[in-house]
Amino acid sequence: MPFVSIRILEGHSQQRKNEISRRVTEAISEIAELPREAIWVVIEDVPGSDWFVGGTPVREPKGA
């Protein structure tokens, strides 16, 4: 059973996360020839203060 873990910067709508999950599930189902029910997808929202690019947080924590 494939398990897909996706980390994205917080702030995306539930509708967008649903679509990401649907598309990832469909792609794996098609390529691996598995039923969709066998594929698990977890989307984790990461705060901008915990997401770093080049050693700098994408968003400064409030009160910093």
Side-chain angles (χ1 to χ4, degrees), residues 25-49:
T25 298
E26 287 297 326
I28 292 172
S29 176
E30 180 182 330
I31 294 166
E33 298 179 358
L34 291 168
R36 289 188 307 271
E37 297 77 23
I39 301 159
W40 293 23
V41 177
V42 173
I43 298 178
E44 179 182 355
D45 288 316
V46 179
S49 59

